[in-house]
């Protein structure tokens, strides 16, 4: 199926050089795209992954979500800017592909404008003035410094700015319509619950029995969250030296421990050196010592850009953003972030996947159906380090991130099933998260405008743990590097990412939200 789609829509065949333009070329005429899938399926026997992909893409609800998917948080221009703001990618074939098809920029603008102009009353109610104002404010972009770019970059960025400005002017006029003030703050809760069920399944790759399952899913997530809060309370008590501090609330303890002076960096270079050392350590453990496959070693690219995330993985490189080295980045984060983003997390998994004969191009073009696998594996990878059980600081960092990923599930259900407003969910989040109110607000609005996606992390993690528990009778973290489990990791990574439903079925596991 992937070769058929590549040929029909003239897509970049190398997964490492795919750009947002490939997604646009496939989806801009959504009906033609669906017809192409149906034509192929009528003439070929589909693999399990292809069948899963086909069923979701051709579901009638899928078009509704495509029509509302150009938002302030995720749109074609933001995805392109992710490349334009990256000093490494602009020197690679990725940028060359963008430049070669620069004529598509104006077509993208026309397409997004057309989506909003033709949106029916049902779809338009997903948006309100707050969300459209955010979209407008997120369409201002800055280029890389002149000394780091060439003439083609400058030509492309000028065209890019012209088109984002044209879209911005359209949205400024659009938002003047008083109807946007009348639209609800809540997410999908005023629609049939099957809509959130669909997008939840689409992002996790895990099918539910019905939308009634969300009652149990919320209880399941709350049970996990309560356990994590108990664990972090005990861990804080181990780290706090003042007995009076130990009497404070769990949330107050988390703030005290999280900002402990011993965990601050003395310089940017110290922060960079610590991550380099950690990558080297786990590359030795997994590649040299335990013989996991490696086709390309992970690169470490240091950024100093407040507009980008603190750390992320993309196309063979771990991007470490040091802009908040003295106020927001801490030593206890290094181990988990490195395990998650490099080895044995994202880099190891995707490096193996892109070189495996089992790789499916469609999962790289539109990774949503495999997001539960990809993010679940990266979270599970945090359990495979050699320090967490012995170092309470590393365990504290792990617990903080796990609390964050678990709360996301509750937040999404509150917004999209129970009908709470973002403001109500923000107030609840303050009981569990210790980041700033601005950061929490940003996260909750992300869940509001991108339903389902944030659920995939924690659920993916627990699927991997459930398979290991039932297949190998292993539940203790100290046993996760057992030799027979290492062999299984190598096997499952070589089989490459797949929807969680397919992964569970391959191992004879029936999933329920009851543990």
């Amino acid at each position: 199926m992937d070769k058929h789609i590549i040929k029909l829509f003239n897509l970049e065949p190398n997964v490492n050089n795919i750009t947002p333009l490939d997604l646009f070329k496939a989806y801009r005429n959504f009906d033609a795209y669906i017809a192409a899938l149906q034509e192929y399926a009528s003439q070929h026997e589909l693999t399990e992954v292809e069948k899963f992909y086909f069923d979701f893409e051709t579901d009638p609800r899928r078009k509704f979500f495509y029509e509302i998917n150009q938002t302030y948080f995720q749109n074609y221009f933001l995805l392109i800017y992710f490349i334009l703001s990256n000093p490494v990618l602009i020197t690679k074939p990725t940028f060359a592909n963008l430049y070669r098809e620069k004529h598509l920029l104006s077509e993208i603008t026309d397409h997004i404008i057309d989506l909003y102009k033709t949106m029916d009353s049902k779809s338009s109610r997903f948006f309100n003035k707050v969300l459209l104002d955010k979209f407008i404010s997120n369409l201002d972009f800055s280029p890389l410094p002149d000394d780091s770019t060439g003439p083609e970059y400058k030509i492309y960025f000028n065209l890019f700015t012209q088109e984002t400005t044209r879209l911005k002017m359209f949205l400024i006029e659009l938002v003047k319509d008083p109807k946007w003030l009348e639209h609800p703050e809540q997410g999908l809760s005023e629609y049939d619950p099957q809509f959130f069920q669909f997008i939840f399944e689409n992002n996790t790759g895990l099918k539910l029995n019905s939308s009634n399952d969300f009652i149990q899913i919320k209880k399941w997530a709350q049970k996990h969250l309560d356990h994590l809060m108990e664990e972090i309370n005990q861990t804080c008590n181990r780290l706090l030296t003042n007995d009076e501090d130990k009497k404070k609330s769990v949330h107050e303890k988390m703030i005290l421990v999280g900002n402990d002076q011993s965990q601050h960096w003395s310089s940017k270079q110290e922060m960079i050196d610590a991550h380099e050392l950690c990558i080297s350590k786990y590359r030795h453990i997994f590649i040299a010592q335990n013989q996991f496959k490696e086709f390309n070693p992970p690169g470490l690219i240091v950024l100093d850009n407040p507009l980008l995330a603190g750390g992320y993985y993309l196309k063979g490189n771990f991007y470490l953003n040091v802009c908040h080295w003295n106020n927001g980045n801490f030593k206890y984060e290094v181990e988990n972030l490195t395990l998650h983003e490099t080895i044995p997390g994202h880099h190891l998994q995707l490096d193996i996947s892109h070189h495996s004969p089992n790789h499916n191009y469609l999962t790289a073009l539109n990774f949503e159906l495999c997001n539960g696998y990809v993010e679940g594996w990266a979270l599970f990878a945090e359990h495979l380090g050699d320090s967490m059980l012995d170092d309470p600081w590393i365990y504290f960092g792990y617990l903080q991130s796990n609390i964050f990923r678990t709360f996301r599930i509750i937040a999404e259900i509150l917004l999209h099933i129970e009908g709470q407003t973002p403001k109500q969910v923000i107030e609840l989040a303050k009981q569990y998260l210790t980041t700033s109110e601005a950061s929490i607000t940003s996260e909750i609005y992300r869940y509001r405008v991108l339903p389902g996606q944030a659920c995939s992390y924690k659920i993916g993690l627990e699927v991997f743990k459930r398979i290991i528990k039932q297949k190998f009778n292993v539940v203790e973290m100290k046993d996760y590097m057992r030799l027979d489990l290492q062999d299984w990791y190598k096997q499952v990574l070589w089989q490459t990412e797949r929807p969680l439903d397919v992964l569970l079925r391959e191992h004879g596991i029936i999933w329920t939200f009851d543990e």
Side-chain angles (χ1 to χ4, degrees):
M1 182 184 283
D2 48 358
K3 292 178 181 177
H4 176 69
I5 296 299
I6 291 169
K7 182 178 180 181
L8 193 62
F9 295 102
N10 190 29
L11 307 182
E12 165 59 51
N14 186 330
V15 294
N16 292 304
N17 300 329
I18 288 174
T19 74
L21 299 182
D22 294 295
L23 202 60
F24 173 67
K25 287 191 288 186
Y27 283 152
R28 61 179 162 182
N29 185 336
F30 200 79
D31 291 336
Y33 170 68
I34 297 304
L37 294 179
Q38 291 171 333
E39 178 191 10
Y40 181 88
S42 69
Q43 300 172 15
H44 300 82
E45 184 176 350
L46 304 183
T47 66
E48 271 210 278
V49 173
E50 288 176 340
K51 181 68 166 60
F52 205 92
Y53 188 94
F54 175 83
D55 287 345
F56 272 94
E57 292 289 70
T58 58
D59 187 291
R61 292 167 293 184
R62 178 68 176 90
K63 189 172 184 180
F64 166 81
F65 283 103
Y66 180 73
E67 290 172 346
I68 63 170
N69 84 336
Q70 296 298 300
T71 69
Y72 82 89
F73 191 84
Q74 180 171 285
N75 61 71
Y76 289 122
F77 286 121
L78 275 179
L79 294 173
I80 292 171
Y81 184 68
F82 200 65
I83 297 171
L84 296 180
S85 62
N86 188 307
V88 175
L89 290 183
I90 64 166
T91 67
K92 303 291 184 181
T94 307
F95 175 72
N97 287 346
L98 283 182
Y99 187 80
R100 187 179 66 252
E101 298 191 291
K102 55 185 177 294
H103 63 280
L104 290 177
L105 286 170
S106 61
E107 295 183 29
I108 290 174
T109 309
D110 292 339
H111 180 66
I112 297 175
I113 289 173
D114 188 60
L115 285 175
Y116 275 91
K117 280 184 174 180
T118 59
M119 199 177 285
D120 61 26
S121 58
K122 177 182 178 181
S123 299
S124 71
R125 287 186 64 79
F126 181 75
F127 296 101
N128 55 42
K129 188 176 186 303
V130 172
L131 299 181
L132 291 177
D133 282 342
K134 285 178 178 289
F135 200 168
I136 292 166
S137 65
N138 271 24
L139 285 171
D140 292 323
F141 302 100
S142 300
L144 290 169
D146 285 347
D147 59 1
S148 64
T149 63
E152 289 185 345
Y153 178 91
K154 294 175 177 63
I155 291 170
Y156 191 90
F157 200 89
N158 283 336
L159 291 172
F160 177 82
T161 302
Q162 288 175 24
E163 294 307 320
T164 54
T165 300
R166 185 158 69 94
L167 176 59
K168 183 175 183 176
M169 293 302 102
F170 165 77
L171 291 171
I172 288 172
E173 290 302 312
L174 181 73
V175 80
K176 291 178 181 178
D177 189 326
K179 75 176 183 180
W180 304 110
L181 286 168
E182 301 167 3
H183 287 184
E185 293 181 63
Q186 297 90 332
L188 294 170
S189 56
E190 70 165 44
Y191 298 86
D192 189 307
Q194 290 187 16
F195 278 87
F196 182 61
Q197 179 186 345
F198 170 81
I199 202 64
F200 174 94
E201 293 174 342
N202 181 68
N203 278 286
T204 61
L206 190 66
K207 290 188 177 180
L208 306 179
N209 294 318
S210 75
S211 57
N212 292 330
D213 287 355
F214 287 115
I215 298 171
Q216 180 59 31
I217 293 171
K218 185 185 173 189
K219 291 178 181 177
W220 174 86
Q222 188 65 56
K223 180 180 177 181
H224 278 260
L225 187 58
D226 291 343
H227 172 71
L228 290 167
M229 293 300 287
E230 290 175 11
E231 283 286 301
I232 206 166
N233 184 43
Q234 294 174 17
T235 304
C236 286
N237 286 339
R238 290 174 64 190
L239 292 167
L240 290 168
T241 56
N242 186 319
D243 288 340
E244 288 302 310
D245 288 337
K246 294 179 183 180
K247 297 176 184 177
K248 294 181 177 180
S249 70
V250 180
H251 191 262
E252 289 173 318
K253 292 178 192 178
M254 289 168 66
I255 293 172
L256 281 172
V257 172
N259 289 295
D260 190 277
Q261 197 59 39
S262 71
Q263 297 300 301
H264 286 252
W265 299 107
S266 62
S267 67
K268 288 182 183 179
Q269 193 57 50
E270 184 191 18
M271 179 179 171
I272 295 166
D273 290 345
H275 285 86
E276 286 180 337
L277 187 64
C278 198
I279 292 171
S280 178
K281 177 177 76 168
Y282 285 113
R283 188 163 176 249
H284 174 77
I285 290 173
F286 283 90
I287 308 303
Q289 188 173 310
N290 291 309
Q291 299 295 298
F292 279 73
K293 290 182 184 293
E294 180 183 73
F295 296 90
N296 298 291
L300 176 64
I301 307 298
V302 177
L303 301 175
D304 194 345
N305 188 339
L307 299 178
L308 297 176
Y312 61 92
Y313 177 80
L314 183 68
K315 297 182 184 294
N317 291 309
F318 169 34
Y319 292 89
L320 178 65
N321 196 347
V322 298
C323 67
H324 298 302
W325 68 271
N326 62 345
N327 182 26
N329 293 119
F330 302 97
K331 294 178 182 179
Y332 55 74
E333 298 170 331
V334 174
E335 188 92 2
N336 294 300
L337 183 61
T338 302
L339 289 163
H340 185 108
E341 302 293 349
T342 63
I343 296 173
H346 284 320
H347 176 77
L348 181 71
Q349 186 258 308
L350 291 170
D351 183 49
I352 290 173
S353 172
H354 291 172
H355 290 87
S356 169
N358 302 311
H359 181 72
N360 190 313
Y361 177 93
L362 296 175
T363 65
L365 180 67
N366 183 3
F367 60 87
E368 289 176 355
L369 288 173
C370 296
N371 205 42
Y373 178 109
V374 173
E375 293 298 344
W377 170 259
L379 279 184
F380 180 73
E382 296 177 22
H383 298 70
L384 303 180
D386 65 354
S387 305
M388 189 188 296
L389 295 176
D390 301 321
D391 189 331
W393 282 111
I394 292 174
Y395 191 48
F396 173 79
Y398 160 78
L399 289 170
Q400 270 204 325
S401 67
N402 207 337
I403 287 167
F404 176 45
R405 268 65 175 254
T406 306
F407 179 77
R408 285 172 162 178
I409 299 171
I410 296 170
E412 290 239 16
I413 293 172
L414 292 174
L415 287 167
H416 299 296
I417 293 293
E418 297 187 14
Q420 288 198 18
T421 66
K423 291 178 182 177
Q424 289 173 306
V425 180
I426 288 166
E427 288 306 309
L428 178 63
K430 291 177 185 177
Q431 298 178 28
Y432 299 101
L433 309 181
T434 59
T435 51
S436 67
E437 182 165 351
S439 177
I440 291 173
T441 299
S442 176
E443 276 295 317
I444 301 306
Y445 272 98
R446 168 192 166 184
Y447 312 152
R448 163 62 176 85
V449 81
L450 196 65
Q453 192 273 341
C455 296
S456 59
Y457 298 72
K458 172 68 172 178
I459 290 173
L461 164 65
E462 295 302 326
V463 164
F464 274 102
K465 289 170 69 175
R466 184 82 60 88
I467 293 173
I468 290 167
K469 177 183 177 181
Q470 294 191 21
K471 189 178 177 71
F472 297 94
N473 196 30
V474 169
V475 293
E476 297 290 335
M477 199 182 303
K478 63 181 177 61
D479 297 323
Y480 280 158
M481 283 297 283
R482 224 169 60 181
L483 290 178
D484 57 338
L485 272 172
Q486 288 190 43
D487 289 340
W488 181 74
Y489 302 152
K490 293 171 185 177
Q491 175 191 349
V492 82
L493 291 175
W494 189 244
Q495 289 173 340
T496 76
E497 63 273 12
R498 54 243 295 105
L500 293 179
D501 244 31
V502 176
L503 181 68
L504 287 161
R505 194 157 52 247
E506 288 172 342
H507 291 89
I509 308 296
I510 297 174
W511 175 264
T512 57
F513 285 95
D514 59 2
E515 291 187 26

